[in-house]
Amino acid sequence: MKSSKICYWLLGLALLGFADATYLSAKFFLGSPVVCVFFGECDKVTSSPYATIGPVPVAALGALYYLTVILVLGFMFARAVERLERWLLPLTSVGFLASVWFVYLQLFVIHAICFYCMVSAGTSTLLFLSAAYLYWTANGLRANVSNGNNGADK
């Protein structure tokens, strides 16, 4: 029961991240400015040399990342793949590390903060922490059961 609540939490976070990254990607491909709700420096960040890898905006890669998390969670909900939660932790680790890098760039290289980028960084961090919790609780429970402990002492 607890893990299903965490999976719904993860799904909500991934949907938020997907919407955020898709908005930034759409603005990039349409060539229109990003309406910055807070901080007012979104265009400085999204038009910096760090906003793309070749011709691909990093926001599109972020949307792909969030979509992958959503698909993994969909397979988990459908129980189509056994123990799929073990893939969430490495996947969300990549998103978290990318977010750390992009926050560093905003603060110390570009010297500007993009509200939407920070929403994505927060979302990726919460996805990583939630996936870590899911992984460790799922594996801790399995370890207790395989050792003959049914969790009654918790």
Side-chain angles (χ1 to χ4, degrees):
M1 178 63 147
K2 192 184 282 188
S3 66
S4 67
K5 287 182 181 179
I6 294 169
C7 287
Y8 283 113
W9 166 251
L10 285 162
L11 181 61
L13 288 171
L15 288 169
L16 173 65
F18 181 73
D20 181 62
T22 301
Y23 170 75
L24 289 174
S25 298
K27 289 294 188 177
F28 175 85
F29 289 118
L30 293 172
S32 59
V34 175
V35 177
C36 207
V37 178
F38 300 105
F39 309 122
E41 299 175 315
C42 292
D43 281 336
K44 185 174 179 184
V45 174
T46 59
S47 64
S48 78
Y50 303 100
T52 58
I53 298 175
V56 180
V58 294
L61 298 175
L64 182 62
Y65 159 72
Y66 289 116
L67 182 60
T68 303
V69 172
I70 291 166
L71 291 173
V72 168
L73 288 165
F75 283 117
M76 285 176 65
F77 284 127
R79 301 196 189 289
V81 180
E82 184 76 20
R83 294 197 58 209
L84 200 54
E85 76 274 354
R86 68 179 170 221
W87 292 100
L88 273 177
L89 187 57
L91 178 61
T92 59
S93 296
V94 170
F96 172 70
L97 292 174
S99 291
V100 169
W101 172 248
F102 290 121
V103 169
Y104 165 80
L105 288 174
Q106 286 180 79
L107 296 176
F108 301 108
V109 178
I110 304 169
H111 301 288
I113 298 173
C114 168
F115 170 74
Y116 299 100
C117 304
M118 297 305 280
V119 167
S120 182
T123 303
S124 291
T125 301
L126 289 173
L127 277 170
F128 168 69
L129 293 173
S130 301
Y133 178 79
L134 178 65
Y135 178 82
W136 282 309
T137 55
N139 287 312
L141 179 62
R142 284 193 189 97
N144 284 337
V145 171
S146 66
N147 290 334
N149 180 357
N150 64 2
D153 60 342
K154 289 189 179 187

